Amino acid sequence: MSWISDTKSGPSGFVRGLCCSVLQAGPIPRHVAFIMDGNRRFARKRQVERAQGHLMGFEKLSETLEWCLDLGVKEVTVYAFSIENFKRGKDEVDCLMELARKKFEQLLEEKELIDKHGVCVRVLGDLSLLPADVQRAVANAVNMSKHNSRVCLNVCFAYTSRHEMTNAIRLLAKGVEDGELEPSDVDEELFEQCLYTRHCPDPDLLIRTSGEVRLSDFLLWQSSFCCLHFTEVLWPEFSTWDLFAAVLHYQRDYSAIKSSRSSYNQQRLCSGAFEELSAAQSKWSPKELVAVEDRQKRVKSFLQFLSKKEQLFLETMCA
């Protein structure tokens, strides 16, 4: 099955489109994140192999991406493989790695469809933990779609939030150690720019299937002002109606979420560099202004270095 379906026909498509139109009269989440839980339980329920359960989970992802596109969602993030999953049995891990390799290679074959929909695919996680053939397939898929900008699909693979934050701290510590940053340069905004999700807006809606009510180390930093929706349905059984129910939940809580996020952003703005720069000419001495400008230059140079390092890593994996 393709990553993104290109067919919309039949009564179900008509009814879905009608429901989408009704939902679009209200606020639509720009960024939706999914914890795709329940593949193994679904396999047990259907008395099929675990590999078949994971395959059907991928097919459900393809359908869900189509539904999100229809709704007007601009960014989707999925929790595809946790670092903790490496602790599972070797046969299951090998199966998941092989499925990932095949699906990312399939993505390359669907370049025309991906470009048609303007989908940018990013893979977030510690890619160095993956087998070489999976690294190569991932890197080729990311490089192929990096110029698209209509919608973004973020696949969290070999990911946990704690690992992500630990990695960001290491990058900042190395920057200070190498003299690229001063300790005083490190703040919340710079920390966020060192996360795997630095190119992504925070999620507006996070959906977890299978009845579990926990985040399982997924987007812990990014989900502070996010609508959390937990549903009993197993991921391969997730339907367009389950997605619509989650969006309705988001719309119901939209005002409260927007208010909390706006208050936090305003507080952050008032205590950050923007306030400092706006008040600089009237309150600060020339020496203090130079210090602010020097910090901006250091931070900009450091972030450019990280971007080049990331691109070089992807190019090396493609070779």
Side-chain angles (χ1 to χ4, degrees), residues 155-224:
V155 182
C156 292
F157 206 81
Y159 172 94
T160 66
S161 193
R162 285 177 293 180
H163 190 88
E164 175 185 33
M165 289 188 275
T166 301
N167 180 69
I169 292 169
R170 287 197 187 103
L171 291 174
L172 291 168
K174 189 71 165 63
V176 172
E177 180 184 358
D178 293 344
E180 297 171 2
L181 295 171
E182 294 292 333
S184 58
D185 295 338
V186 179
D187 59 8
E188 186 176 323
E189 184 178 0
L190 182 55
F191 175 78
E192 288 179 344
Q193 290 299 310
C194 294
L195 296 173
Y196 297 136
T197 55
R198 56 184 164 272
H199 302 298
C200 318
D202 288 344
D204 301 297
L205 170 63
L206 191 155
I207 301 170
R208 177 165 188 156
T209 58
S210 86
E212 297 290 343
V213 185
R214 52 194 171 89
L215 296 183
S216 296
D217 215 350
F218 179 57
L219 300 182
L220 300 182
W221 179 274
Q222 299 86 345
S223 57
S224 298

Side-chain angles (χ1 to χ4, degrees), residues 42 83 91 139 170 196-197 230 236 252-255:
F42 176 81
I83 291 174
D91 289 346
R170 287 197 187 103
Y196 297 136
T197 55
F230 301 98
R252 184 188 67 198
D253 294 345
Y254 176 75
S255 295

Side-chain angles (χ1 to χ4, degrees), residues 251-310:
Q251 292 181 339
R252 184 188 67 198
D253 294 345
Y254 176 75
S255 295
I257 293 171
K258 182 180 179 182
S259 176
S260 296
R261 182 177 285 177
S262 296
S263 296
Y264 171 76
N265 287 338
Q266 185 63 33
Q267 181 182 20
R268 181 172 167 178
L269 188 68
C270 290
S271 62
F274 293 103
E275 182 195 43
E276 294 172 354
L277 289 176
S278 64
Q281 289 184 347
S282 60
K283 294 184 179 180
W284 288 17
S285 68
K287 184 178 179 179
E288 289 172 325
L289 283 174
V290 169
V292 170
E293 292 171 357
D294 286 345
R295 179 191 182 275
Q296 289 180 323
K297 290 176 182 178
R298 286 193 302 270
V299 168
K300 182 179 179 180
S301 176
F302 176 71
L303 293 177
Q304 287 175 340
F305 168 76
L306 292 186
S307 180
K308 290 177 182 177
K309 182 180 177 182
E310 177 184 20

Side-chain angles (χ1 to χ4, degrees), residues 33-44 53-54 56-58 60-61 64 77-82 85 88 92 206-216 218 229-238 242:
F34 293 91
I35 300 178
M36 307 180 295
D37 193 19
N39 291 343
R40 295 196 296 177
R41 273 173 279 176
F42 176 81
R44 287 196 298 270
H54 291 305
M56 295 184 74
F58 170 80
K60 183 55 60 177
L61 170 60
T64 304
T77 299
V78 296
Y79 202 3
F81 189 85
S82 166
N85 292 154
R88 293 182 179 179
E92 184 176 2
L206 191 155
I207 301 170
R208 177 165 188 156
T209 58
S210 86
E212 297 290 343
V213 185
R214 52 194 171 89
L215 296 183
S216 296
F218 179 57
H229 182 82
F230 301 98
T231 178
E232 296 286 336
V233 67
L234 301 175
W235 174 248
E237 297 173 327
F238 189 76
D242 296 311

Side-chain angles (χ1 to χ4, degrees), residues 67-82:
W67 304 334
C68 287
L69 284 172
D70 289 346
L71 271 172
V73 174
K74 298 299 183 183
E75 191 138 1
V76 173
T77 299
V78 296
Y79 202 3
F81 189 85
S82 166

